Amino acid sequence: MWRVRYALAHKGLTFESVPLGFTDIPQVFGGRYKTVPVLGENDQMIVDSWSIVDHLEQTYPGRPALFSGPEEYAMVRLFDAYFTAEMIRKFFGLYALDIHNAARAEDRAYFRESRQQRFLKGRTLEVHVDGREGRLPALREALTPLRLQLSRGPFLGGHKPNYADYIAFGLFQWVASVNTLPPLAKEDSSLCSWLDRVANLYEGLGRDPRMKPLFEG
Amino acid sequence: MWRVRYALAHKGLTFESVPLGFTDIPQVFGGRYKTVPVLGENDQMIVDSWSIVDHLEQTYPGRPALFSGPEEYAMVRLFDAYFTAEMIRKFFGLYALDIHNAARAEDRAYFRESRQQRFLKGRTLEVHVDGREGRLPALREALTPLRLQLSRGPFLGGHKPNYADYIAFGLFQWVASVNTLPPLAKEDSSLCSWLDRVANLYEGLGRDPRMKPLFEG
């Protein structure tokens, strides 16, 4: 999860990132965890990105804080509730099949069956993304609050990047790692320069030559 | 605007609230302002709720702060961009005609014409709200992030109310002042107790016997 990578980098912590395929997860953790991210530190295992963030803030109070205090923390959680739920749903409507095709061959059947059953009421991934070009305008429109915010400062967090930037950027990285249809219009300059700005943080943590274009044209 | 009333109360400032009908606004301010809220203080006039909030924070640094710092401020503006745009649109789809009917007789024609032209592409208010009961589930679903946030603390701001609480509460007060169809299900206990909690702040600032029920049944 990109948001966790950025949280670790924000705190100046070094880490090794181990990508896991869908079907690796229960196996690697002996069935204890079914989702990523999982942070392993010394003898501890912490699952779920907010639990990881809480753990990092508590364990490393001397390092750069992720949150200025409980007030900002509460507001970032509220943003997560708004942004992540809405955008994951919208992105999934365009990229469900791309995610499948980008997965390792041995993970595809699991991904297809679990998603079709859990989220698509049995419809196929192909049916779910059919006519996806027609949903681009609504997806772009849903990003209006981000553009409004970026008209007031370089980051979602204001003058400095905060965990809201890492949350939103993480979703775009996820799309960039699989998409075969760029979600954004090339004129979308405020999002474009913000994505560049966040990718360049922490010695270019978000830069990855394998990423597919997010902008048309 | 309720959010401004709450901001003033939060800072412990006394104020006199002068409700204005739609067609009063240009008249009262000699055409200088077309929208409310407008804060008049000594010789200054400040229009737009965020400008008022900025002004209050700068002018009264010794009084209780509305924001813990620029980080929380940025996140509350982002919440405003998400919540207000989406909910005003959704509420308007149910209550456009109720707002009209609740306005003073001399304001109704102006309200109808300006809204039909500006927001409804010429359709009537009646057509816009037709079948509104069918849109209740989507409206209630759109409040899921608030419920999630309220499962973690008594206020949207966390342990203490913040300006995000005042923004969201203000929209519900607006609905409560006009609605002829309660928007919320009676089982919606986390929203219900939060609305009570915010209404009770500052010696019951939000309590008003003229308000219509927000909950069914």
Side-chain angles (χ1 to χ4, degrees), chain A residues 68 70-79 81-83 86-87 142-146 148-149 152 155-160 162 164, chain B residues 68 70-79 81-83 86-87 142-146 148-149 152 155-160 162 164:
Chain A
S68 58
E71 297 87 358
E72 184 192 357
Y73 178 88
M75 287 296 97
V76 175
R77 289 208 79 150
L78 186 54
F79 168 73
Y82 267 97
F83 180 80
E86 183 186 351
M87 294 314 296
L143 297 166
T144 300
L146 296 196
L148 195 61
Q149 182 78 348
R152 292 187 287 257
F155 295 103
L156 299 181
H159 296 295
K160 291 179 299 182
N162 78 347
Chain B
S68 59
E71 298 86 0
E72 184 192 357
Y73 179 87
M75 287 295 97
V76 175
R77 289 207 79 151
L78 186 54
F79 168 72
Y82 265 97
F83 179 79
E86 182 185 352
M87 293 315 297
L143 296 166
T144 300
L146 297 195
L148 195 60
Q149 182 79 349
R152 293 187 286 257
F155 295 102
L156 300 181
H159 295 295
K160 291 178 301 181
N162 78 348

Side-chain angles (χ1 to χ4, degrees), chain B residues 48 98 123 145 180 205:
Chain B
D48 166 72
D98 286 349
R123 282 181 303 139
T180 58
L205 179 61

Side-chain angles (χ1 to χ4, degrees), chain B residues 7 29 70 101 216:
Chain B
F29 299 110
N101 296 341
E216 275 176 350

Side-chain angles (χ1 to χ4, degrees), chain B:
Chain B
M1 294 272 281
W2 282 95
R3 58 168 77 181
V4 172
R5 288 197 189 107
Y6 270 79
L8 288 160
H10 182 112
K11 295 198 84 72
L13 295 163
T14 55
F15 57 96
E16 190 193 351
S17 177
V18 184
L20 293 175
F22 291 102
T23 54
D24 287 336
I25 303 168
Q27 213 173 318
V28 167
F29 299 110
R32 275 197 300 166
Y33 309 124
K34 293 192 177 63
T35 57
V36 285
V38 175
L39 177 74
E41 190 186 41
N42 307 322
D43 286 344
Q44 266 187 301
M45 287 284 202
I46 301 132
V47 67
D48 166 72
S49 57
W50 278 102
S51 302
I52 292 171
V53 160
D54 292 346
H55 168 81
L56 295 177
E57 286 289 80
Q58 278 161 25
T59 314
Y60 303 100
R63 289 182 173 266
L66 282 159
F67 303 97
S68 59
E71 298 86 0
E72 184 192 357
Y73 179 87
M75 287 295 97
V76 175
R77 289 207 79 151
L78 186 54
F79 168 72
D80 190 25
Y82 265 97
F83 179 79
T84 307
E86 182 185 352
M87 293 315 297
I88 281 190
R89 195 171 41 79
K90 284 199 150 57
F91 279 140
F92 200 70
L94 277 87
Y95 301 115
L97 190 61
D98 286 349
I99 301 167
H100 171 274
N101 296 341
R104 299 179 313 178
E106 62 266 39
D107 286 330
R108 286 182 200 153
Y110 163 79
F111 178 82
R112 174 182 290 279
E113 278 154 38
S114 62
R115 269 54 181 179
Q116 287 180 178
Q117 199 181 353
R118 220 181 302 162
F119 304 121
L120 307 184
K121 299 172 181 168
R123 282 181 303 139
T124 63
L125 300 174
E126 285 77 3
V127 167
H128 191 58
V129 302
D130 187 44
R132 64 180 181 169
E133 289 82 359
R135 290 194 292 278
L136 280 173
L139 182 137
R140 292 171 185 177
E141 171 68 23
L143 296 166
T144 300
L146 297 195
R147 291 185 201 99
L148 195 60
Q149 182 79 349
L150 293 169
S151 71
R152 293 187 286 257
F155 295 102
L156 300 181
H159 295 295
K160 291 178 301 181
N162 78 348
Y163 196 59
D165 288 280
Y166 308 153
I167 288 170
F169 181 78
L171 264 175
F172 285 104
Q173 288 285 90
W174 169 62
V175 172
S177 66
V178 300
N179 90 74
T180 58
L181 173 75
L184 301 171
K186 62 179 167 190
E187 303 77 25
D188 207 340
S189 60
S190 67
L191 280 184
C192 184
S193 52
W194 167 75
L195 285 165
D196 263 348
R197 218 173 283 134
V198 182
N200 286 334
L201 292 171
Y202 314 119
E203 301 173 5
L205 179 61
R207 300 231 157 275
D208 186 331
R210 293 167 302 177
M211 294 288 179
K212 283 117 194 136
L214 286 172
F215 293 86
E216 275 176 350

Side-chain angles (χ1 to χ4, degrees), chain A residues 53-195:
Chain A
V53 160
D54 293 345
H55 169 81
L56 294 177
E57 286 287 81
Q58 279 161 24
T59 314
Y60 302 100
R63 289 183 173 265
L66 281 160
F67 304 96
S68 58
E71 297 87 358
E72 184 192 357
Y73 178 88
M75 287 296 97
V76 175
R77 289 208 79 150
L78 186 54
F79 168 73
D80 191 25
Y82 267 97
F83 180 80
T84 307
E86 183 186 351
M87 294 314 296
I88 281 189
R89 194 171 42 80
K90 283 199 150 56
F91 279 140
F92 201 70
L94 276 87
Y95 302 115
L97 190 61
D98 286 350
I99 301 167
H100 171 273
N101 295 341
R104 299 179 313 179
E106 63 266 39
D107 287 328
R108 287 181 200 154
Y110 164 78
F111 178 82
R112 174 182 290 279
E113 279 155 37
S114 61
R115 268 55 182 179
Q116 289 179 178
Q117 198 181 355
R118 220 180 303 162
F119 304 121
L120 307 183
K121 298 172 182 169
R123 283 180 302 139
T124 64
L125 300 174
E126 286 77 4
V127 166
H128 190 58
V129 302
D130 187 44
R132 63 181 182 167
E133 289 82 359
R135 291 193 293 276
L136 280 173
L139 182 138
R140 292 170 185 179
E141 171 68 22
L143 297 166
T144 300
L146 296 196
R147 292 185 200 99
L148 195 61
Q149 182 78 348
L150 294 169
S151 71
R152 292 187 287 257
F155 295 103
L156 299 181
H159 296 295
K160 291 179 299 182
N162 78 347
Y163 196 60
D165 288 281
Y166 309 152
I167 287 170
F169 181 78
L171 264 176
F172 285 105
Q173 288 284 91
W174 170 62
V175 172
S177 66
V178 301
N179 90 75
T180 59
L181 173 75
L184 300 171
K186 62 180 166 191
E187 303 78 25
D188 206 341
S189 59
S190 67
L191 280 183
C192 184
S193 52
W194 167 75
L195 286 165

